Amino acid sequence: MKILTGNDLASGDVVWWTGESWSRHVEDSVDVNEHGEAIARAEEGARRVNVPYVIEAQATPEGPRPAHIKDRIRALGPTIRPDLTLKPADPDAGNWVI
Amino acid sequence: MYQYDTYDQSAVDARVEEFRDQVARRLSGALSEDQFKPLRLMNGLYLQLHAYMLRVAVPYGTLSGQQMHMLAHIARKYDRGYGHFTTRQNIQYNWIKLDEAPDILAELATVEMHAIQTSGNCIRNISSDQYAGAAADEVADPRPWAELLRQWSSFHPEFSYLPRKFKICVIASAEDRAAMRLHDIGIELVKRDGVLGGRIFAGGGMGRTPMIAPEIKDFVAADDLLSYLEAALRVYNRHGRRDNIYKARIKILIHEIGAKEYKRQVEEEFAHVKTLGIDPPLAEFDRIAAFFAPPAWEQGLSDDLDLSDPDFRLWVDQNVIAHQTPGYAIANISLKPIGGIPGDASADQIDLMADLATRYSFDELRVTHAQNIVLPHVKKADLYTIWQALDEAGLATANLDLISDIIACPGLDYCSLANARSIPLAQKIGQRFADPERQRDLGELKLKISGCINACGHHHAGHIGILGVDRKGTENYQLLFGGSGAEDVSLAKIIGPGFSEDGVVDAIEKATDVYKALRTDGERFVDTYRRVGMDPFKEAIYG
Ligand code: SF4
């Protein structure tokens, strides 16, 4: 599947396209098929996102998992500071990245 | 330390307000990202993996206690409670919000700091010896010269859009503690017949095409230094490759036309520049130099130290360096605790270091290119008290220049250009060699890790260097041996096929075993490697 990601313009937070809006959580992502570029252009034009781009991901029971480690680290947070990730209470969250 | 005059202050204040307006226009949509990006980069604001990242300049790595407190305040108020000290002697914050960036710059301006020229194709922060003004072996204090270059290069209209970024380093001793010859221009201040001047090296650098800067002038009298640099930059600005970003650095130009031809052109340009009268009058240099006058040393201090506490003794042996003044010492604060993140410090730790500087080091701190902090002028009699305070805050790791004093760039945990993570690898290596005795037995061993070919972690200059690469979507690490950024400068060579994260730690351990088996008295790892060559190491690692 293809999912769309970018950064929130003001906060810089990593965000994911849910089909209607942007979420901080990658598991909310939807498959944008071939519409990614068009959505990206429209959303960036409306300043709801900054530098959006389409990435490959695998569908898993827990939700989409980006194909490349770089995007998995973007999705979770720095692997060396679990306290600063989106899942600070989950000791196994880092395994999802690797 | 240098203090802004009204011109400096108004220039920095005006820049803050200009950026505030630019940010407002970006947030309102008046500027697109394409239009805004070069403007934010000119103010040190990047968009990284998780958020905006702000790189704040620490001119030639020198800070006052008040400035250091401000860095802690920014970490606490605008970031997530910490900062990352970099190999460019700067600090980076990883979690900055765009709408707060102008306020951060305004706060920095109140303590004479900024983020100007920490990005972009301009002359970047001037780097220098972290022991400047304290080192026993310097011929002069390099900081007044670094400050002069800072003033000359700030907002220099002709050099704001160079073919590529430009890094200048000034040192003043034969021992090179600042990787001087791996800069676009390196200056070693020397004295000839009692006259101060500079040996000039040009065209060094790391990145994808590492090169050691050749000497292009064996002596430029101090009075001519700015004119000479102006000429050197002009020749680069004129002929540097703007058509290919990978060939745009001065090192490529000098490599392509040859150091001799480059030097000839610089000399020709210098003859012209010298007629323009850009070198400052002596009175202006003296005004700057006065800010760096030595502090009021106490006379008659004892050099004796009570080393009965073994942990303190270890720290003194490893992290404390001789000072030029009797009774004083240079104390290095390692930001490399075993298992920690190289170069990171929490806001509380930054505040503590600031307090110690104010109380015990004439209010001065230095940031080193090895991502550590220095208290440059402490009384030996105060060392134990300082060490106790550092120890309590997790800042007393006694590992300066040992295998766990690792330079590591942010890598894939933070950097959008990265291929692989650097920090977890640094942590694993630190843990493998955690035993202080084992590290000390291995002696000086400079290990440097970069998460990609851009080489922010100086892997080319490591006795052991590690380069993260992307191998079909998985992290892989190339191992290099034999580099040095010091006066014995050399470029490390790749030893063979790459490794997984655990594989590289094992390979390093095997290499240290080979070193221990083959070393002769007094030989460091890199000396043994240079003497015996790569084969015994390769055999042990791949055999
Ligand atoms: S070396 Fe590469 S990965 Fe490391 S900080 Fe520089 S650009 Fe990023």
Side-chain angles (χ1 to χ4, degrees), chain B residues 6 79 87 90 149 207 212 218 233 245 269 278 282 326 355 384 426 433 444 487 530:
Chain B
T6 50
D79 205 85
T87 52
N90 292 324
L149 296 182
I212 296 168
D218 67 343
L233 265 289
I245 189 175
E269 186 66 30
I278 67 158
L282 186 63
D355 284 338
Y384 191 63
F433 293 91
E444 181 184 297
E487 59 283 2
R530 285 171 179 163

Side-chain angles (χ1 to χ4, degrees), chain A residues 26-59:
Chain A
V26 67
E27 51 269 33
D28 297 337
S29 299
V30 293
D31 191 349
V32 292
N33 296 310
E34 75 279 16
H35 306 301
E37 295 302 333
I39 299 168
R41 271 199 303 280
E43 289 295 304
E44 189 168 33
R47 277 173 289 120
R48 285 187 288 263
V49 71
N50 198 14
V51 287
Y53 59 99
V54 177
I55 60 166
E56 292 288 337
Q58 288 106 33

Side-chain angles (χ1 to χ4, degrees), chain B residues 409-411 415 417-418 450-452 454-456:
Chain B
C409 78
C415 177
L417 300 174
S450 303
C452 81
N454 289 322
C456 305

Side-chain angles (χ1 to χ4, degrees), chain B residues 123 152 158-159 162-163 166 168 184-187 200-203 216-217 220 224-240 250 253-254 257 262-271 273 278:
Chain B
I123 301 174
W152 162 76
E158 200 176 317
F159 304 143
L162 292 166
F166 205 91
I168 300 177
D184 296 283
I185 286 188
I187 303 165
I200 312 290
F201 300 85
I216 57 154
K217 185 83 174 166
V220 177
D224 291 334
L225 200 56
L226 276 196
S227 288
Y228 195 84
L229 291 186
E230 182 95 5
L233 265 289
R234 278 188 168 190
V235 172
Y236 166 56
N237 204 16
R238 195 174 297 147
H239 300 301
I250 190 175
L253 173 71
I254 293 179
I257 67 173
Y262 173 72
K263 179 183 164 149
R264 189 195 66 73
Q265 293 191 26
V266 173
E267 293 289 342
E268 198 175 288
E269 186 66 30
F270 173 63
V273 171
I278 67 158

Side-chain angles (χ1 to χ4, degrees), chain B residues 13 42 61 76 168 182 194-195 200 207 222 229 238 241 270 274 302 317 322 372 403-404 420 452 469:
Chain B
D13 290 344
M42 281 178 194
R76 213 174 262 125
I168 300 177
L182 295 168
V195 178
I200 312 290
L229 291 186
R238 195 174 297 147
R241 299 267 305 259
F270 173 63
K274 206 47 204 165
S302 164
D317 278 357
N372 292 319
I403 192 168
S404 66
C452 81
V469 293

Side-chain angles (χ1 to χ4, degrees), chain A residues 7-14 44 47 50-51 68-70 73-74 77-81 84 98, chain B residues 26-29 33 47 49-52 80 82 96-99 412-413 416 418 421 427 470 475:
Chain A
N7 293 75
D8 183 72
L9 176 58
S11 69
D13 287 354
V14 174
E44 189 168 33
R47 277 173 289 120
N50 198 14
V51 287
H68 199 280
I69 182 172
K70 183 177 289 188
I73 292 178
R74 284 183 75 243
T79 64
I80 34 77
R81 287 291 303 261
L84 300 182
I98 318 301
Chain B
R26 173 68 188 118
L27 290 169
S28 75
E33 182 63 11
L47 185 56
L49 215 52
H50 307 293
Y52 295 98
R80 299 197 177 177
Y82 69 107
I96 296 301
K97 294 182 171 32
L98 177 60
D99 47 0
L412 193 50
D413 278 300
S416 54
R421 290 171 299 159
Q427 291 174 317
D470 181 340
E475 297 166 296

Side-chain angles (χ1 to χ4, degrees), chain B residues 485-497:
Chain B
E487 59 283 2
D488 61 343
V489 62
S490 58
L491 298 173
K493 290 195 173 73
I494 295 174
I495 67 155

